[in-house]
Amino acid sequence: MWPYHPELLARPVPRYTSFPTAAEFSAAVGSVQQAGALADLRGDVSLYLHIPFCEEICWYCGCNTSRVNKAQRLATYLDALHREIALVGGRLRIGGEDGVRVRRIAFGGGSPNAISPLDFVRLVDALTVHMPLYDPVVSVELDPRTLTEDWATVLHCVGVTRASMGVQTFEPRLQAAIGRLQPDASIVRGTDMLRRAGVTSLNFDLMYGLPGQTDDDLAASLARSMELGADRIALFGYAHVPHLIPRQRRIAADDLPDQAARFRMAWNGWRQLTEAGYQPVGFDHFALPGDALAQAALSGRLHRNFQGFTEDAAPVLLGLGASAISAFPGVIVQNEKNSGRYRMLLSQDQLAGTLGVARTEEDRARGQIIEALLCRHEARLVGERMARMLPELVRFSELGLIETSGDMLRIRPDGLPYARTIAALFDPYRQESGRRFSSAV
Ligand code: SF4
């Protein structure tokens, strides 16, 4: 078992899917900076398209999504997304040595399969027409409960090879406690359809720290996921923050495992999956050794972006859709979160960026250290940085969680559950952090 130091986990810390984090976004950055960054864009980029709809809303969910119960609202959203694809695509440098090349496309949400398969094909068509696609790898997040044969056919025709299903838990008692009823048979059916459709890398999202969840519940869900052949497993700790996510008020806080139980569950999950042959990826992902994510972790090519740990090395991520975030080297820009205002901006053919943060040289240097610590568990602290950080690192060093040699800082195996806490030492914005983030484990 990892050594348990509750005092090091007491302070909520970001998940660092970007640096600076979304907590630093302000209205000082928006469509003007977005336009400038798009005009300067060269080389490889990845696309992310946000579909903010689901058939039913799960009580724990922190995503920007809503029920797909009004056909008109769905149609106008997709219309706006089509306009944004054309608008952004029209601003990209196309062709030539320094032209933009889209190598990856990820559809997320929400649940992209809350829209019809035909609407999905239309979006892919629009991307083909307006974006410089270079044989991109396409991935889709899917809700297994609403996955149909028509969808599987379309995924096959589009050439989707990567998919992620929200599973969370196989235990019906826990599913009821988090408002996501999902029979085992729907996961089996979904897995089967996706494999037949040509998906070669299939991820299951699972959670620990659920209300009433026992160690045995978690072990059973992990075992079932492995039995069904998940290539990747993302094992997240449930973050109960009802003051930030009001829909979580429906979840009984009294039944939530305490921090010590969460810590034990994270360890149990890590041990069970690694003993079964999964490669740990970062601090909460696992992948079969043949999967591209495991290969990236093993060869030091792992990265972190808004979708979590990834083997995607593109320096730029373009986010399309309401609340989607675009990350450029010099600036991060988030699209308008409110889908009504997002639709309004696009109806006037305006870029939708309304929040963001400029990245200084120092931000980028710190961002690289944070990413290296989370992805590779080591970082080089050049110049005066090591000397400046030593007083803050000494406690972790005394506890055997890190080691330093020269300008290298390494997180030792016992320090893995504290990786986010250690990374946060390099985040100057966090010094006066309030309760805006999740528990560190
Ligand atoms: S299906 Fe996924 S995105 Fe939709 S509400 Fe549930 S967890 Fe959130």
Side-chain angles (χ1 to χ4, degrees):
M1 169 94 160
W2 294 314
Y4 181 46
H5 301 292
E7 72 284 4
L8 296 182
L9 302 169
R11 196 170 67 125
V13 285
R15 300 190 67 77
Y16 291 115
T17 52
S18 73
F19 187 79
T21 72
E24 275 61 65
F25 291 4
S26 80
V29 168
S31 57
V32 173
Q33 291 78 5
Q34 186 180 13
L38 287 171
D40 291 342
L41 211 49
R42 309 278 187 274
D44 290 354
V45 308
S46 296
L47 294 184
Y48 170 77
L49 282 86
H50 190 70
I51 311 289
F53 300 104
C54 296
E55 287 286 336
E56 297 287 338
I57 302 299
C58 312
W59 301 347
Y60 59 85
C61 180
C63 299
N64 174 26
T65 188
S66 59
R67 280 190 70 194
V68 58
N69 52 3
K70 293 198 181 90
Q72 182 58 25
R73 207 160 52 107
L74 179 67
T76 53
Y77 180 80
L78 291 175
D79 183 52
L81 192 50
H82 276 268
R83 282 173 177 263
E84 191 182 18
I85 291 169
L87 187 64
V88 171
R91 290 170 179 252
L92 300 181
R93 177 182 295 252
I94 309 279
E97 268 194 12
D98 58 357
V100 172
R101 296 179 295 270
V102 174
R103 305 266 192 202
R104 279 173 191 263
I105 305 171
F107 290 88
S111 307
N113 60 319
I115 66 174
S116 74
L118 184 59
D119 282 334
F120 180 73
V121 171
R122 288 187 176 129
L123 283 176
V124 174
D125 278 352
L127 292 172
T128 309
V129 170
H130 297 290
M131 293 284 177
L133 305 187
Y134 280 68
D135 195 17
V137 174
V138 185
S139 63
V140 188
E141 293 173 12
L142 295 161
D143 182 341
R145 297 167 299 178
T146 51
L147 197 54
T148 59
E149 288 290 352
D150 284 351
W151 253 99
T153 304
V154 160
L155 293 174
H156 175 70
C157 293
V158 167
V160 172
T161 53
R162 298 185 184 190
S164 177
M165 289 201 297
V167 175
Q168 319 312 346
T169 173
F170 283 89
E171 172 52 50
R173 183 184 92 257
L174 301 180
Q175 293 177 0
I178 56 171
R180 186 188 177 110
L181 293 172
Q182 181 168 263
D184 182 287
S186 72
I187 311 290
V188 174
R189 206 173 125 267
T191 302
D192 192 42
M193 276 196 278
L194 292 173
R195 291 302 192 196
R196 277 189 282 115
V199 168
T200 52
S201 180
L202 177 59
N203 176 74
F204 282 12
D205 280 347
L206 294 176
M207 284 201 291
Y208 66 86
L210 297 175
Q213 190 178 30
T214 65
D215 291 359
D216 286 348
D217 289 328
L218 177 62
S221 284
L222 291 171
R224 185 72 178 128
S225 302
M226 290 190 272
E227 193 175 42
L228 292 177
D231 302 288
R232 302 180 182 186
I233 293 176
L235 179 58
F236 300 120
Y238 167 58
H240 190 64
V241 283
H243 56 294
L244 298 176
I245 305 170
R247 61 175 77 120
Q248 291 185 344
R249 290 194 192 120
R250 300 182 72 177
I251 291 180
D254 292 350
D255 288 343
L256 290 169
D258 62 15
Q259 193 195 60
R262 288 171 63 91
F263 190 84
R264 193 180 61 241
M265 285 181 181
W267 159 252
N268 284 343
W270 193 91
R271 187 183 53 178
Q272 186 177 351
L273 291 168
T274 53
E275 283 181 359
Y278 279 76
Q279 166 70 31
V281 177
F283 53 82
D284 55 9
H285 285 48
F286 302 84
L288 288 175
D291 191 273
L293 194 64
Q295 301 283 317
L298 284 166
S299 59
R301 290 179 291 105
L302 192 64
H303 292 278
R304 189 144 174 84
N305 68 14
F306 294 107
Q307 283 131 56
F309 289 106
T310 174
E311 74 278 19
D312 183 2
V316 173
L317 179 69
L318 289 183
L320 302 167
S323 79
I325 300 174
S326 297
F328 304 93
V331 67
I332 304 174
V333 186
Q334 181 168 31
N335 276 357
E336 170 59 50
K337 291 188 214 175
N338 177 284
S339 67
R341 285 197 291 272
Y342 168 80
R343 294 195 306 259
M344 203 256 305
L345 285 168
L346 269 306
S347 72
Q348 297 162 6
D349 286 325
Q350 292 183 36
L351 289 173
T354 51
L355 283 178
V357 62
R359 279 205 266 216
T360 63
E361 280 295 324
E362 178 64 10
D363 286 335
R364 277 189 261 183
R366 287 176 179 268
Q368 279 172 7
I369 292 170
I370 289 170
E371 185 182 45
L373 287 172
L374 297 183
C375 294
R376 296 184 287 286
H377 309 143
E378 63 178 27
R380 193 171 291 283
L381 307 182
V382 293
E384 300 292 300
R385 219 177 273 280
M386 179 64 91
R388 281 205 310 268
M389 288 305 293
L390 277 177
E392 304 211 44
L393 293 172
V394 72
R395 170 122 181 81
F396 294 87
S397 181
E398 283 169 0
L399 292 171
L401 305 178
I402 60 164
E403 61 191 14
T404 56
S405 72
D407 57 5
M408 283 304 288
L409 165 63
R410 283 193 189 86
I411 299 176
R412 303 186 69 224
D414 276 353
L416 188 67
Y418 306 98
R420 281 165 62 196
T421 306
I422 295 164
L425 298 175
F426 295 87
D427 177 353
Y429 303 106
R430 285 294 70 71
Q431 303 317 319
E432 75 304 347
S433 166
R435 295 224 28 110
R436 301 188 63 184
F437 300 102
S438 58
S439 164
V441 70

